[in-house]
Amino acid sequence: MVDFWAEWCGPCKMIAPSVHDMAVEYDGKLTVGKLDVDSSPSVAMQYGVRSIPALIFFKGGQPVDQIIGAVPKGALKKKIDAVLGS
C-alpha cells in the first residue's frame, strides 16, 4: 500500500496515524510506503493521483485497488482485508 500525501495536506495528516497503525497491525502481510506528491509528482501522475490523500494497493507490482480521501480506520482495515483476501 502506498500513501500518496503532502506536508501541507490536512486530511493526509488526519489519516497518518491510521496508516501507521495498519502498517504495524499487518506487519509481514502488508508493506506500507509513503510518497510525497510534491517531491515525486511524476510518480503521482503515473498512477493518476489527482486528489490526496490517496492510498493505492498493489499486488505483484500492479495497482489493484485504491482509497481516495480521509477515511475512518475501520474503512481502511476493511479495504486491506479485502485486498489481502483476493
Side-chain angles (χ1 to χ4, degrees):
M1 178 177 80
V2 178
D3 177 10
F4 290 80
W5 72 287
E7 185 63 40
W8 49 262
C9 171
C12 298
K13 292 178 182 181
M14 285 174 41
I15 69 161
S18 295
V19 170
H20 177 266
D21 290 350
M22 294 298 102
V24 171
E25 183 174 336
Y26 289 91
D27 186 37
K29 298 178 191 166
L30 178 74
T31 302
V32 178
K34 292 178 74 73
L35 184 125
D36 183 340
V37 297
D38 290 334
S39 298
S40 303
S42 61
V43 177
M45 260 185 4
Q46 176 183 349
Y47 290 103
V49 174
R50 293 187 193 99
S51 298
I52 55 173
L55 303 171
I56 301 183
F57 298 87
F58 291 85
K59 270 194 176 179
Q62 298 300 313
V64 294
D65 211 338
Q66 65 181 7
I67 294 176
I68 305 298
V71 297
K73 186 175 178 177
L76 177 56
K77 183 173 175 46
K78 184 182 264 190
K79 179 68 80 171
I80 291 170
D81 288 340
V83 169
L84 291 176
S86 61

